[in-house]
Amino acid sequence: MLRINRQTDYAVRVLLALAKHPPGTRLSTAEVREEMLIPKSVSLRVVADLAKGEFIETFPGRDGGIVLSRPIGEINLYQVVRYFEGNFAVSECIHQKGFCPFETTCPVQSKWSRLQDLIVNELKKITFAELRDDALAGKSAEILSVEEE
Protein backbone atom coordinates (compact mmCIF):
# COMPACT_ATOMS: atom_id res chain seq x y z
CA MET A 1 0.00 0.00 0.00
CA LEU A 2 1.27 3.44 -0.87
CA ARG A 3 1.33 5.74 2.10
CA ILE A 4 3.28 8.69 3.35
CA ASN A 5 5.13 8.41 6.64
CA ARG A 6 4.03 10.15 9.81
CA GLN A 7 6.78 12.78 9.59
CA THR A 8 5.54 13.86 6.14
CA ASP A 9 1.99 14.09 7.46
CA TYR A 10 3.15 16.29 10.35
CA ALA A 11 5.16 18.47 7.96
CA VAL A 12 2.04 19.05 5.86
CA ARG A 13 0.14 19.96 9.03
CA VAL A 14 2.78 22.51 10.07
CA LEU A 15 2.74 24.15 6.65
CA LEU A 16 -1.06 24.20 6.58
CA ALA A 17 -1.19 25.84 10.02
CA LEU A 18 1.14 28.58 8.77
CA ALA A 19 -0.72 28.89 5.45
CA LYS A 20 -3.98 29.68 7.25
CA HIS A 21 -2.52 32.97 8.50
CA PRO A 22 -1.63 36.14 6.56
CA PRO A 23 1.79 36.07 4.83
CA GLY A 24 4.65 36.76 7.19
CA THR A 25 2.73 35.71 10.30
CA ARG A 26 5.08 34.20 12.85
CA LEU A 27 3.66 31.42 15.01
CA SER A 28 5.27 29.62 17.90
CA THR A 29 5.93 25.94 17.40
CA ALA A 30 3.79 25.32 20.48
CA GLU A 31 0.78 27.03 18.83
CA VAL A 32 1.21 24.98 15.68
CA ARG A 33 1.77 21.78 17.64
CA GLU A 34 -1.40 22.29 19.66
CA GLU A 35 -3.57 23.32 16.70
CA MET A 36 -2.43 20.44 14.51
CA LEU A 37 -2.17 17.78 17.23
CA ILE A 38 1.50 17.06 16.66
CA PRO A 39 3.40 15.33 19.47
CA LYS A 40 6.11 17.51 20.98
CA SER A 41 8.63 14.69 20.61
CA VAL A 42 8.50 14.89 16.80
CA SER A 43 7.52 18.51 16.24
CA LEU A 44 11.02 19.88 16.79
CA ARG A 45 12.51 17.46 14.27
CA VAL A 46 9.79 18.20 11.70
CA VAL A 47 10.26 21.96 12.12
CA ALA A 48 14.03 21.57 11.78
CA ASP A 49 13.59 19.50 8.62
CA LEU A 50 11.13 22.01 7.15
CA ALA A 51 13.67 24.77 7.80
CA LYS A 52 16.47 22.71 6.26
CA GLY A 53 14.27 22.14 3.21
CA GLU A 54 13.66 25.91 3.00
CA PHE A 55 9.89 25.62 3.46
CA ILE A 56 9.99 27.72 6.63
CA GLU A 57 12.25 30.10 8.50
CA THR A 58 12.81 29.75 12.22
CA PHE A 59 13.39 32.52 14.72
CA PRO A 60 14.78 31.56 18.14
CA GLY A 61 14.06 33.30 21.39
CA ARG A 62 11.16 34.58 23.38
CA ASP A 63 9.55 36.37 20.45
CA GLY A 64 10.68 33.73 17.99
CA GLY A 65 8.66 31.25 16.04
CA ILE A 66 8.28 29.94 12.54
CA VAL A 67 7.10 31.53 9.30
CA LEU A 68 6.68 30.30 5.74
CA SER A 69 9.73 31.09 3.63
CA ARG A 70 7.77 31.61 0.41
CA PRO A 71 4.22 32.26 -0.77
CA ILE A 72 1.74 29.42 -0.21
CA GLY A 73 0.92 29.26 -3.90
CA GLU A 74 4.54 28.27 -4.57
CA ILE A 75 4.55 25.29 -2.21
CA ASN A 76 2.83 22.11 -3.33
CA LEU A 77 2.32 18.67 -1.85
CA TYR A 78 4.75 17.07 -4.29
CA GLN A 79 7.61 19.23 -3.01
CA VAL A 80 6.89 18.25 0.59
CA VAL A 81 6.39 14.56 -0.15
CA ARG A 82 9.50 14.44 -2.30
CA TYR A 83 11.58 16.19 0.37
CA PHE A 84 10.45 13.96 3.24
CA GLU A 85 9.95 10.68 1.37
CA GLY A 86 12.71 10.89 -1.21
CA ASN A 87 12.13 8.96 -4.42
CA PHE A 88 8.81 7.25 -4.10
CA ALA A 89 7.32 4.92 -6.66
CA VAL A 90 4.31 2.69 -7.04
CA SER A 91 6.74 0.00 -8.19
CA GLU A 92 10.51 -0.27 -8.08
CA CYS A 93 10.56 -1.31 -11.74
CA ILE A 94 9.76 2.27 -12.74
CA HIS A 95 13.01 3.80 -11.47
CA GLN A 96 15.41 0.87 -11.29
CA LYS A 97 16.66 -0.42 -14.62
CA GLY A 98 17.32 -4.12 -14.46
CA PHE A 99 15.07 -4.62 -11.43
CA CYS A 100 12.66 -6.84 -13.31
CA PRO A 101 13.71 -9.68 -15.62
CA PHE A 102 10.61 -8.98 -17.76
CA GLU A 103 11.37 -5.27 -18.09
CA THR A 104 11.37 -5.08 -21.88
CA THR A 105 8.23 -7.18 -22.37
CA CYS A 106 6.22 -6.39 -19.25
CA PRO A 107 2.69 -5.11 -19.91
CA VAL A 108 2.34 -3.95 -16.31
CA GLN A 109 5.32 -1.58 -16.18
CA SER A 110 3.69 0.95 -18.49
CA LYS A 111 0.57 0.91 -16.31
CA TRP A 112 2.65 1.48 -13.16
CA SER A 113 4.40 4.37 -14.94
CA ARG A 114 1.07 5.91 -15.95
CA LEU A 115 -0.23 5.62 -12.38
CA GLN A 116 3.01 7.13 -11.05
CA ASP A 117 2.66 10.09 -13.42
CA LEU A 118 -0.94 10.65 -12.34
CA ILE A 119 0.01 10.69 -8.66
CA VAL A 120 2.96 13.04 -9.19
CA ASN A 121 0.94 15.42 -11.36
CA GLU A 122 -1.91 15.58 -8.82
CA LEU A 123 0.51 16.24 -5.96
CA LYS A 124 2.09 19.05 -7.97
CA LYS A 125 -1.33 20.65 -8.58
CA ILE A 126 -2.24 20.80 -4.89
CA THR A 127 -0.73 23.96 -3.45
CA PHE A 128 -0.96 25.15 0.11
CA ALA A 129 -3.08 28.04 -1.16
CA GLU A 130 -5.70 25.50 -2.22
CA LEU A 131 -5.37 23.58 1.05
CA ARG A 132 -5.71 26.83 3.01
CA ASP A 133 -8.83 27.77 1.09
CA ASP A 134 -10.34 24.34 1.72
CA ALA A 135 -9.45 24.50 5.42
CA LEU A 136 -10.95 27.95 5.84
CA ALA A 137 -14.09 26.86 3.99
CA GLY A 138 -14.42 23.94 6.38
CA LYS A 139 -13.97 21.29 3.72
CA SER A 140 -12.72 17.91 4.82
CA ALA A 141 -11.05 15.29 2.75
CA GLU A 142 -13.37 13.25 0.61
CA ILE A 143 -13.36 9.57 1.34
CA LEU A 144 -14.13 7.44 -1.62
CA SER A 145 -15.30 3.91 -1.02
CA VAL A 146 -14.59 1.30 -3.59
CA GLU A 147 -16.84 -1.67 -3.60
CA GLU A 148 -15.42 -5.02 -4.56
CA GLU A 149 -17.00 -6.61 -7.58
Side-chain angles (χ1 to χ4, degrees):
M1 177 49 112
L2 293 172
R3 74 194 300 183
I4 61 168
N5 68 43
R6 199 172 298 268
Q7 185 175 5
T8 305
D9 180 50
Y10 290 147
V12 169
R13 292 186 200 186
V14 169
L15 294 173
L16 179 58
L18 292 169
K20 292 190 312 185
H21 292 84
T25 300
R26 193 181 298 185
L27 299 175
S28 74
T29 54
E31 288 175 280
V32 172
R33 188 173 58 240
E34 288 173 23
E35 177 186 346
M36 292 303 193
L37 305 174
I38 302 171
K40 186 176 182 178
S41 59
V42 294
S43 68
L44 297 176
R45 183 179 49 171
V46 169
V47 165
D49 287 342
L50 283 168
K52 185 178 176 186
E54 298 180 350
F55 294 99
I56 64 171
E57 293 178 48
T58 60
F59 299 89
R62 195 180 123 221
D63 294 324
I66 56 177
V67 65
L68 288 170
S69 62
R70 51 194 149 135
I72 58 176
E74 294 178 12
I75 305 171
N76 63 47
L77 280 182
Y78 177 74
Q79 295 164 335
V80 178
V81 170
R82 176 68 192 233
Y83 183 78
F84 282 89
E85 302 285 334
N87 248 348
F88 69 99
V90 295
S91 174
E92 291 185 42
C93 71
I94 295 172
H95 295 297
Q96 293 186 9
K97 291 266 187 225
F99 177 79
C100 177
F102 304 107
E103 189 171 281
T104 58
T105 59
C106 181
V108 180
Q109 184 181 25
S110 66
K111 305 303 183 205
W112 287 142
S113 292
R114 185 169 147 245
L115 181 59
Q116 178 78 21
D117 291 343
L118 287 169
I119 292 169
V120 166
N121 289 331
E122 284 303 309
L123 289 172
K124 286 180 177 179
K125 287 181 194 176
I126 303 168
T127 67
F128 278 85
E130 178 184 346
L131 294 173
R132 184 252 353 249
D133 292 346
D134 287 351
L136 295 178
K139 293 182 182 177
S140 62
E142 290 181 24
I143 300 174
L144 303 175
S145 62
V146 179
E147 295 182 15
E148 293 183 20
E149 295 179 22

